[in-house]
Amino acid sequence: MSMSSSIRLAALAAVTLLAAGCVVEQPAPRRRPVVVEQPAPGYVEVIAPQAPPTVLVEEEPAPRPGYIWARGYWHWNGRKYIAMHGHWEPARPGYHYVHPHYVQRGDGWHLSVGVWAQG
């Protein structure tokens, strides 16, 4: 082997050793954590295509101290109205109860659920 061949072989070996020891690794892609949240339970707007039946008539029970009677109403289940009977609600000082009722708008009859209003 000639001297130039030896030098070339040594240089090739050195480059091979250097290249073998130098591994350029790309960093792993950063992944954002996935946060899965359940939708908060909330109000689903009920829109009926026809007017509800006349006011649901129930005999209001005897007064119950510390409670108000939330009147029953007609609930549209997607095919027909069904009666939802009244129930007792604990009184809330500084608030008054607005009973469930329907409001007619351009796209049908919208149910306003029973809510407590300040005042």
Side-chain angles (χ1 to χ4, degrees):
M1 198 183 264
S2 71
M3 176 77 127
S4 66
S5 296
S6 296
I7 293 174
R8 285 185 190 159
L9 186 59
L12 182 59
V15 169
T16 303
L17 284 173
L18 286 173
C22 296
V23 177
V24 177
E25 187 175 320
Q26 295 296 323
R30 295 186 73 185
R31 295 183 182 169
R32 285 187 257 158
V34 176
V35 179
V36 177
E37 295 180 7
Q38 295 296 325
Y43 172 69
V44 175
E45 187 168 24
V46 174
I47 304 172
Q50 60 202 40
T54 57
V55 175
L56 182 63
V57 178
E58 293 182 289
E59 186 175 324
E60 187 174 326
R64 187 171 169 191
Y67 288 83
I68 64 100
W69 177 251
R71 292 190 303 254
Y73 63 98
W74 292 103
H75 173 75
W76 179 256
N77 72 359
R79 292 186 322 252
K80 63 180 182 176
Y81 282 102
I82 56 173
M84 303 299 291
H85 297 284
H87 62 277
W88 289 106
E89 285 276 336
R92 296 179 64 183
Y95 292 83
H96 68 277
Y97 188 74
V98 179
H99 295 278
H101 61 281
Y102 280 88
V103 177
Q104 186 178 18
R105 297 192 193 138
D107 59 347
W109 292 83
H110 292 246
L111 173 63
S112 291
V113 296
V115 296
W116 287 95
Q118 195 168 17

